[in-house]
Amino acid sequence: MSEKAKWYVVHTYSGHENKVKANIEKIVENRGMEDVIHEVLVPTEDKVEIKNGKKKIKQKKIFPGYVLVKMIMNDESWYVVRNTRGVTGFVGPGSKPIPLTDEEIKNMGIVEAMPEIDVVVGDTIKVTSGPFESFMGVVKDVNLEKHTLKVLISMFGRETPVELDFTQVQKL
């Protein structure tokens, strides 16, 4: 049973998105369903607000009243999500949830399948983008789950540890 997990949109009571996310994650953990329900997401963006002359960055929900769930759809996963407190239903005609298309996922800014990297601890890399672009460094740690590398970069005559994304480096 090697079904591919797909993204589904779940409708929630407005203002309950984070609670629903936490509830689904707790149920998944308690029931050991990590292999069926992979990820729960409340899409947010950073908004800069100026109050009393002070700049504040607030996280604003992009789709209030909706939560995205990456899961393999079967009777159990459907039942668990559908019956989570705060969920009013899946988005789709009638009772049949419809997964998001690849184009919809891309338009929402959900990044799928991060690139694998053939770098190991001790390799020398070149930074290809970001604030440390064109710097060289030595890999000290590889985090496959977060898709990041800890790299020692020589800056101002001393070794400085920085965390970089897999997409920001190239092996030399």
Side-chain angles (χ1 to χ4, degrees):
M1 186 168 123
S2 63
E3 271 186 82
K4 190 175 181 320
K6 293 186 169 79
W7 286 99
Y8 293 88
V9 180
V10 177
H11 193 268
T12 68
Y13 294 123
S14 192
H16 286 73
E17 301 88 355
N18 292 328
K19 257 186 223 147
V20 166
K21 177 185 189 302
N23 287 342
I24 292 173
E25 287 171 343
K26 190 181 279 179
I27 292 167
V28 166
E29 189 181 323
N30 290 345
R31 292 191 177 194
M33 295 177 68
E34 291 89 351
D35 55 333
V36 183
I37 299 175
H38 296 230
E39 200 175 337
V40 185
L41 205 64
V42 178
T44 58
E45 62 184 350
D46 290 337
K47 284 278 189 201
V48 176
E49 287 183 358
I50 298 173
K51 267 190 184 167
N52 304 334
K54 289 187 180 149
K55 214 159 102 171
K56 271 191 168 179
I57 296 175
K58 277 189 104 177
Q59 288 231 314
K60 188 175 187 297
K61 292 180 186 83
I62 299 171
F63 307 112
Y66 295 95
V67 173
L68 303 176
V69 181
K70 185 178 185 180
M71 62 189 224
I72 296 169
M73 184 58 73
N74 60 31
D75 289 345
E76 188 186 12
S77 64
W78 177 86
Y79 181 84
V80 163
V81 173
R82 177 69 189 86
N83 291 296
T84 300
R85 186 178 303 156
V87 171
T88 58
F90 280 93
V91 173
S95 62
K96 188 175 182 338
I98 304 290
L100 293 172
T101 65
D102 290 341
E103 193 174 322
E104 289 169 327
I105 291 166
K106 207 169 92 189
N107 290 342
M108 287 182 176
I110 299 171
V111 181
E112 286 288 310
M114 285 294 285
E116 290 301 311
I117 193 158
D118 64 340
V119 173
V120 293
V121 173
D123 282 354
T124 301
I125 55 95
K126 179 180 181 181
V127 183
T128 56
S129 67
F132 302 104
E133 188 172 347
S134 76
F135 277 86
M136 310 287 233
V138 178
V139 177
K140 286 295 168 202
D141 184 41
V142 179
N143 187 332
L144 294 172
E145 285 170 18
K146 286 167 95 183
H147 303 285
T148 59
L149 301 170
K150 279 219 174 40
V151 180
L152 283 182
I153 291 179
S154 183
M155 207 181 311
F156 309 118
R158 54 171 26 160
E159 297 277 293
T160 306
V162 294
E163 193 169 291
L164 299 167
D165 201 61
F166 283 0
T167 58
Q168 293 180 288
V169 299
Q170 110 185 19
K171 186 176 176 180
L172 292 179

